[in-house]
Amino acid sequence: MKEALVEKYFRPGRLPHIWCPGCGNGIVTAAMVQAIDREGLAKDDVALISGIGCSSRVSGYLDFNTANTVHGRALAIATGLKMARPSLTVLVASGDGDCSAIGGNHLIHAARRNIDLTLIVFNNNIYGMTGGQYSPLTPQGSRATTAPYQTIEPAFDITALARAAGATFTARATTYHTPLLTDLIAKAIRHKGFSIVEAVTACPTNYGRQNKMGNPGQMMEWQKDHAVMKAKWDTMTEDERAGKFPIGLLSERTDAVEYTAAYDEIIRRAQA
Amino acid sequence: MARVLLMQGNQAVVEGAIAAGVRFYGGYPITPSTEIAEGMAKRLPQVGGKFMQTEDEIAGIAAVTGASLGGVIAMTATSGPGFSLKQEMLGFACSAEIPCLVVDVQRVGPSTGQPTSPSQGDVMQTRWGTHGDHWIIALSPASVPECFDLTRRAVALSETYRCPVILLMDEVVGHLRERIDLPDNYDDLPVVRRKVPAGAPEDYLAYQAKDGSLVAPMAPFGSGYRWHVTGLVHDETGFPKGTPAATVAQQDRLRKKLTDHLDDIVTVEEYRLDDAELAIVAFGGAARTAYDAIDLARAKGIRAGLFRPVTIWPFAEKEIRALAAKVRGILVHELNCGQYVREVERAVQGRVPVLAYSKYDNESATPEDLLAEIENAMKGGAGK
Amino acid sequence: MSLKFVTARCKGCGICAHFCPKQVLMITELNKSAVAPGKEGDCIACGQCEMRCPDYAIFVTKEEG
């Protein structure tokens, strides 16, 4: 990220951030900033709501209307804010545990309603803030402090979950694929309706170490080696797909009415 | 012009909310509060407001805090089980100082309890439900007209003191139907709104009160004042600060912004109390029994009167102390196993006997039931 | 071309050095990113370090002409 963007979008005196050496959260944050800058949004017109966890600290760094709220509830709080102020561009930053475990119910219902929020899932496959417990997005067979022998639970594909629940824009990128991540977040912001961008990000301290993933650079190499662009993914056999995951724009629909617009119609009816 | 209506307490809450300027509701159906959600679903869009039936109780209050951050007066309503689920968000609203109205129409608990039966078992949950030290305002209406008035009052207090306010109802009052006179339209009723900043955005600190009050102006998100909200301990900038001094400063201010204004916040009603020897302390649905029971007692020559706390929290400490100085005994009647009475005992400090008539059998007391308790009290310590 | 290091923000994670195609960057004994000795002239200003730095501690400027 260019220094001018740091100067423009970060609150003075709040850096360095709290994230560990090699944590990808700073890269995801940079992608968000670059996407917002590319879309030409005024800082006053952007709200960023986060839950609780490492990634949710992002709201404190950026100079928007921001809230670091309650574990799992960011989407529900953002929903109320969007209803109150539909003209705001409302982004939600949430970790994999925050939005797929304790906040999972809010995720599927925000997606179902197709409310115009952009959810950035910082997926580092682990609860980092509390020291490395497994989340619903921890790959099956991984080690975690609460799975010292290995996890036996299958992981969600959170974009597929959101898509099945009604999300009209789903996408995934990694911190290695930074320009793609920026591009997808920009597109998600532009999308009118519920959008989710899963950002695959490394947690060297609490996931990498337990799972012998190597140093931060090596963890990003893993992202490069296991991510496959959607167009290629679509041509691959099941065997070829094993152990890999698609990145890019995974789905986009424009046929569903956005929630706040639908409610405006309810107001017209009630007042008729 | 006024409308004379026969209305349920829950419906009067709806009308009070509309009159108070509530324009967002997020909530989940739960007996015996559901009529509030149904009423808001119908009424809000008529006045340009918005109603959401959320996926769960937590999302209800979460959306309410979000809407409030957007500058819209917002509320939710629930009953015991849902009130329990909302507690963490209530703590967030206390800490981050986000105004909102939470109506709890109490039912019998714990757990599913008796959904359609009256109880006042949430008195202490209202006070101490969320974790950590915190301070809260709770009001308890005893009639349908008061449901209208106190809903407006609760919103006004919430906006004035930038905090969540609980309207602590019970099934008796929520489902009671009685006469209420309402204005044809609410345009002439004042709406109390939070202070908003007026100065330069770069000078704005979201938790700094410059006017000598302890309540800082609150800028709606999107109004040009960019600020940060957190449930972490924070200083006047709104950013996390975990030092011992910052922690104490935040706790003290959150307490004092209410306790410095007890004369504004705490209201009580008295009925035939002037010459009373025995004071009945009762609130909400339980107080309704007391009016008649006191009339029956008076007819028998017993000088009983009613002390009805309208504000349940903060506790009417000064008023209860004054009461203890002028009566010979206090009988606390509540529809639970004895919650408010503990506070009364604490405030009275043994100056006069404090007796409890705790009723927790799914039914309200009849005036005759309470009269019998009054007579017992007079035979015992209170009448000597 | 010039590289600017914001040393106070650098946590020495090594991502910049890992992905530098010309091995210009290294992590010092003080756990900070720096130009490796003798590599000053090798930077091609590809910007990969700036793009992936999680701490906004390295910036690349391309000089005109």
Side-chain angles (χ1 to χ4, degrees):
Chain A
M1 180 169 53
K2 289 291 172 201
E3 190 167 22
L5 294 184
V6 179
E7 300 291 328
K8 181 174 177 186
Y9 290 103
F10 280 71
R11 289 176 163 133
R14 315 257 11 130
L15 291 175
H17 51 58
I18 63 159
W19 297 316
C20 299
C23 169
N25 288 349
I27 306 175
V28 182
T29 304
M32 290 167 62
V33 164
Q34 292 173 98
I36 287 165
D37 191 67
R38 190 186 297 176
E39 292 305 302
L41 301 169
K43 291 195 283 187
D44 284 336
D45 298 335
V46 176
L48 173 59
I49 312 297
S50 62
I52 291 292
C54 293
S55 58
S56 287
R57 294 301 281 266
V58 66
S59 54
Y61 300 123
L62 298 180
D63 188 16
F64 304 118
N65 304 279
T66 60
N68 177 194
T69 63
V70 174
H71 199 23
R73 314 302 165 207
L75 275 170
I77 293 164
T79 294
L81 175 61
K82 185 70 182 179
M83 287 291 269
R85 293 240 166 191
S87 61
L88 278 174
T89 295
V90 181
L91 280 72
V92 176
S94 188
D96 44 305
D98 192 58
C99 88
S100 74
I102 193 166
N105 201 27
H106 309 312
L107 169 66
I108 59 176
H109 291 281
R112 177 176 65 86
R113 291 187 187 108
N114 195 35
I115 186 163
D116 188 19
L117 305 173
T118 295
L119 169 65
I120 318 294
V121 181
F122 289 57
N123 177 14
N124 64 359
N125 306 117
I126 203 84
Y127 287 91
M129 186 70 90
T130 46
Q133 300 74 37
Y134 67 94
S135 87
L137 299 193
T138 301
Q140 194 173 19
S142 301
R143 306 257 171 179
T145 60
T146 45
Y149 307 107
Q150 73 173 27
T151 56
I152 56 173
E153 300 182 15
F156 275 136
D157 173 342
I158 198 163
T159 58
L161 176 67
R163 198 154 53 241
T168 49
F169 182 107
T170 67
R172 181 189 293 116
T174 80
T175 54
Y176 175 81
H177 303 87
T178 316
L180 175 67
L181 182 59
T182 301
D183 186 49
L184 291 171
I185 295 172
K187 281 197 174 81
I189 291 170
R190 228 176 301 147
H191 177 80
K192 186 83 178 155
F194 186 78
S195 53
I196 174 173
V197 179
E198 178 187 352
V200 176
T201 172
C203 173
T205 303
N206 280 319
Y207 184 75
R209 203 145 58 192
Q210 291 192 85
N211 289 284
K212 302 190 166 47
M213 300 280 286
N215 65 35
Q218 289 166 322
M219 289 189 78
M220 287 177 79
E221 293 279 358
W222 182 93
Q223 295 174 1
K224 183 178 79 171
D225 294 342
H226 290 79
V228 179
M229 285 300 299
K230 169 78 162 54
K232 183 177 179 199
W233 177 266
D234 289 342
T235 68
M236 289 164 69
T237 65
E238 280 301 311
D239 284 350
E240 290 168 333
R241 288 177 176 182
K244 300 195 183 295
F245 58 89
I247 57 171
L249 175 58
L250 302 177
S251 69
E252 185 170 18
R253 284 169 45 206
T254 54
D255 57 332
V257 183
E258 192 275 327
Y259 188 78
T260 61
Y263 201 90
D264 287 342
E265 181 55 32
I266 291 299
I267 292 175
R268 276 189 288 277
R269 264 189 216 188
Q271 294 181 342
Chain B
M1 284 293 289
R3 296 173 286 166
V4 179
L5 300 165
L6 180 68
M7 186 176 276
Q8 194 186 55
N10 283 344
Q11 293 170 318
V13 169
V14 171
E15 291 306 314
I18 298 296
V22 171
R23 291 297 178 269
F24 182 81
Y25 182 102
Y28 190 84
I30 182 167
T31 304
S33 75
T34 305
E35 295 84 2
I36 299 175
E38 291 170 339
M40 293 304 276
K42 186 168 184 182
R43 291 288 279 124
L44 272 174
Q46 292 174 353
V47 296
K50 294 179 181 176
F51 167 89
M52 279 190 80
Q53 182 173 313
T54 50
E55 55 272 23
D56 57 32
E57 293 279 0
I58 301 171
I61 185 169
V64 162
T65 60
S68 186
L69 286 174
V72 171
I73 301 177
M75 72 172 283
T76 186
T78 188
S79 184
F83 194 49
S84 297
L85 285 165
K86 293 185 194 299
Q87 292 299 333
E88 186 192 15
M89 282 302 310
L90 260 176
F92 175 67
C94 288
S95 169
E97 299 182 70
I98 301 171
C100 56
L101 170 63
V102 178
V103 182
D104 174 20
V105 188
Q106 296 166 95
R107 64 193 233 186
V108 175
S111 190
T112 310
Q114 286 286 356
T116 56
S117 296
S119 166
Q120 297 177 323
D122 298 351
V123 171
M124 283 298 169
Q125 185 180 212
T126 300
R127 178 64 190 85
W128 295 114
T130 200
H131 69 279
D133 290 324
H134 64 281
W135 291 268
I136 198 102
I137 299 174
L139 310 179
S140 181
S143 70
V144 171
E146 203 176 39
C147 286
F148 181 85
D149 294 339
L150 286 191
T151 300
R152 292 183 55 225
R153 174 85 180 130
V155 168
L157 289 171
S158 171
E159 293 286 315
T160 300
Y161 296 105
R162 205 179 149 179
C163 61
V165 173
I166 315 300
L167 188 68
L168 187 61
M169 311 225 324
D170 50 55
E171 193 275 342
V172 178
V173 175
H175 282 163
L176 176 76
R177 286 173 198 274
E178 64 184 348
R179 175 191 159 133
I180 181 171
D181 297 7
L182 291 179
D184 276 336
N185 69 67
Y186 303 139
D187 297 343
D188 295 335
L189 298 178
V191 170
V192 176
R193 292 184 188 281
R194 67 198 70 169
K195 286 182 289 189
V196 295
E202 55 271 27
D203 296 335
Y204 175 60
L205 297 179
Y207 297 92
Q208 182 188 56
K210 288 178 174 168
D211 60 358
S213 79
L214 294 167
V215 183
M218 181 173 172
F221 273 20
S223 66
Y225 294 82
R226 298 186 302 275
W227 56 290
H228 183 58
V229 178
T230 179
L232 285 161
V233 172
H234 47 271
D235 62 14
E236 63 189 12
T237 67
F239 290 99
K241 189 162 189 180
T243 63
T247 307
V248 170
Q250 179 184 321
Q251 284 288 25
D252 286 351
R253 194 175 58 74
L254 291 180
R255 179 182 74 248
K256 282 165 67 67
K257 75 174 181 177
L258 301 186
T259 56
D260 280 3
H261 298 97
L262 292 179
D263 288 344
D264 178 38
I265 297 168
V266 175
T267 55
V268 302
E269 188 212 33
E270 297 183 354
Y271 175 70
R272 304 189 79 167
L273 199 58
D274 280 348
D275 63 341
E277 288 183 295
L278 178 71
I280 314 302
V281 173
F283 54 88
R288 298 182 67 87
T289 306
Y291 296 103
D292 282 353
I294 285 163
D295 290 347
L296 293 175
R298 291 265 173 183
K300 289 186 153 193
I302 301 171
R303 285 188 291 157
L306 174 66
F307 176 99
R308 180 171 73 91
V310 174
T311 306
I312 304 300
W313 305 113
F315 179 66
E317 186 126 1
K318 187 178 74 175
E319 293 77 5
I320 288 286
R321 289 224 172 103
L323 179 70
K326 75 177 191 184
V327 297
R328 298 173 66 176
I330 294 173
L331 174 62
V332 181
H333 169 48
E334 53 189 328
L335 300 175
N336 55 44
C337 293
Q339 297 191 17
Y340 194 80
V341 67
R342 299 163 72 98
E343 288 293 298
V344 175
E345 284 170 342
R346 187 180 57 75
V348 169
Q349 293 181 315
R351 288 193 197 91
V352 294
V354 175
L355 307 169
Y357 175 33
S358 298
K359 198 161 186 303
Y360 46 90
D361 62 355
N362 299 349
E363 292 181 354
S364 293
T366 64
E368 291 73 19
D369 292 335
L370 183 52
L371 175 63
E373 295 292 327
I374 291 170
E375 288 175 325
N376 278 341
M378 294 304 288
K379 280 181 215 145
K384 290 193 186 113
Chain C
M1 180 293 304
S2 74
L3 288 172
K4 177 179 175 182
F5 296 91
V6 184
T7 310
R9 291 208 291 256
C10 178
K11 294 170 185 163
C13 69
I15 288 173
C16 56
H18 187 95
F19 288 103
C20 178
K22 296 291 178 185
Q23 290 83 46
V24 171
L25 298 167
M26 62 172 285
I27 302 300
T28 67
E29 284 180 2
L30 295 173
N31 209 31
K32 300 288 180 186
S33 176
V35 174
K39 295 282 192 176
E40 290 81 355
D42 291 1
C43 175
I44 56 171
C46 68
Q48 292 204 52
C49 52
E50 177 187 274
M51 180 175 81
R52 295 206 182 87
C53 175
D55 294 287
Y56 328 121
I58 185 166
F59 300 105
V60 182
T61 312
K62 273 185 192 167
E63 280 156 13
E64 297 299 318

